[in-house]
Amino acid sequence: IPVDPHDEMDLGVELMVAQRLPLSARLARERDRARALGESARAMTDAALLDVEREAALLSCAAWEADALKRVRTRHVEVLRTMAEIARAQIASGRATVGDAQRVDAEVVRLTIDVVESEGERAAIDAETNALLGRAPDAPLAAPSERVPLLAPAPVAVDVTTRDEVRASAALLAASDAERARAADAWIPDLTAKVGWSSMWPVTHQLMLGVAVDLPVFNGGRSAEQDSASLMREGASSALDDVKLRAVAELAAARARDQAAATMRALFEDQVVPLVAARAETARAALSGGAALDAALDATHEERAAQIELLRATAAQCRSRADHWRATGLSFLTNAPSAELP
């Protein structure tokens, strides 16, 4: 705007380019912090994938358990129907009553209801599995297998500091270290180089070079920033120690539960079920020879209960093995390829 209002007004253009030139390693600290935060995000993503893998394993264990329950109950329905036919044949000879046959028929009806319950449980598990896979609830899955999933060898001893959660927490600590170092450099001045051009100056002064110095004169805010960064670093260090302790405890607990489940399954499989099954076969053979129905029915109930306990112990071992692998921070799909999943 001209000084003399009678002069014509001129319009001009002024351009300025400035570049900060920090004298400290502040930019390097910012890069280190960003890199550490990225590493933490990647580690948490890896941990989330292991959680999905564990969830898939637990669903496989549940699906196997539902199928095994259905097989046991279906087989015992046929056994009880045979016993009912024997009881009806013995009514004429007076060795059984109509009430005995009706009692067995009622057992058949109850077991048939249990079979339907097992089928409904399997359908619900299939829907959950499809939801985990991001598919429609009624999407087809692999045919049921009698092979127990996830009974691959137990994981070997590992260093829990390699777990993804520990890596993520360690990366956050590194980011806090970088932030604290950046805040500590706040008292170092920065330089700013400037290049300007203005059409409103005389020709000899249109292009100008300049240097600005950013002096940290008011340090109140910078001091608070340093205190905040130090507190954040202490919190990250404490969180890392807590994650390591919890990882060690989780691994020890998972290993103990896995071993206990394997022992219980072996006891049922090697001792309890064979003895009870032999007793039931003897009682049913005696029923064909004219023995009382009560003894054969009680022995059959005991046999079915033992078989169900065995499959439940097997499913519990399957679940504990999945938890054991998750506690190690390792993928069983990679490290135990013999594990079977849908």
Side-chain angles (χ1 to χ4, degrees), residues 37-302:
L37 291 176
E39 175 60 28
S40 175
R42 283 190 294 270
M44 292 307 297
T45 300
D46 293 339
L49 291 176
L50 288 180
D51 288 336
V52 173
E53 182 181 284
R54 172 183 173 274
E55 184 66 22
L58 295 180
L59 287 172
S60 295
C61 297
W64 178 88
E65 183 177 6
D67 287 334
L69 272 172
K70 179 182 175 181
R71 287 193 298 270
V72 169
R73 289 165 173 169
T74 301
R75 190 179 73 84
H76 276 268
V77 166
E78 299 301 323
V79 170
L80 289 174
R81 284 174 178 168
T82 302
M83 293 174 61
E85 293 297 328
I86 295 175
R88 290 189 184 93
Q90 292 178 347
I91 291 176
S93 60
R95 290 180 297 179
T97 64
V98 175
D100 292 333
Q102 292 175 340
R103 178 184 173 188
V104 179
D105 289 337
E107 290 287 338
V108 170
V109 173
R110 279 196 292 266
L111 265 184
T112 303
I113 294 174
D114 291 340
V115 170
V116 175
E117 179 185 1
S118 299
E119 293 174 347
E121 180 65 21
R122 176 55 196 266
I125 294 170
D126 287 348
E128 292 181 17
T129 303
N130 281 320
L132 185 67
L133 299 175
R135 307 195 307 171
D138 56 349
L141 291 170
S145 173
E146 295 188 14
R147 178 170 179 253
V148 183
L150 208 64
L151 287 188
V156 297
V158 296
D159 182 9
V160 294
T161 58
T162 61
R163 279 186 56 167
D164 296 321
E165 295 85 352
V166 178
R167 290 196 298 110
S169 186
L172 290 178
L173 177 59
S176 299
D177 286 335
E179 177 63 19
R180 186 176 65 169
R182 188 199 64 79
D185 292 341
W187 63 272
I188 302 177
D190 288 342
L191 295 180
T192 302
K194 299 181 179 181
V195 178
W197 179 83
S198 176
S199 65
M200 294 181 290
W201 285 85
V203 177
T204 56
H205 294 87
Q206 284 185 347
L207 180 64
M208 300 185 65
L209 302 178
V211 176
V213 180
D214 181 14
L215 297 177
V217 177
F218 301 100
N219 290 321
R222 294 181 176 89
S223 178
E225 185 179 0
Q226 293 180 21
D227 293 341
S228 175
S230 297
L231 291 175
M232 294 296 292
R233 197 271 175 195
E234 292 178 5
S237 178
S238 178
L240 177 58
D241 293 338
D242 181 63
V243 169
K244 287 181 178 179
L245 289 175
R246 284 192 288 110
V248 172
E250 288 176 6
L251 180 57
R255 183 181 295 114
R257 285 193 292 266
D258 193 6
Q259 293 173 350
T263 301
M264 183 176 297
R265 173 176 179 256
L267 288 173
F268 273 104
E269 188 173 35
D270 299 335
Q271 299 183 29
V272 177
V273 171
L275 291 174
V276 174
R279 178 175 177 272
E281 288 294 336
T282 302
R284 285 193 290 268
L287 176 64
S288 301
L293 176 65
D294 289 343
L297 198 57
D298 291 341
T300 301
H301 286 167
E302 187 178 358

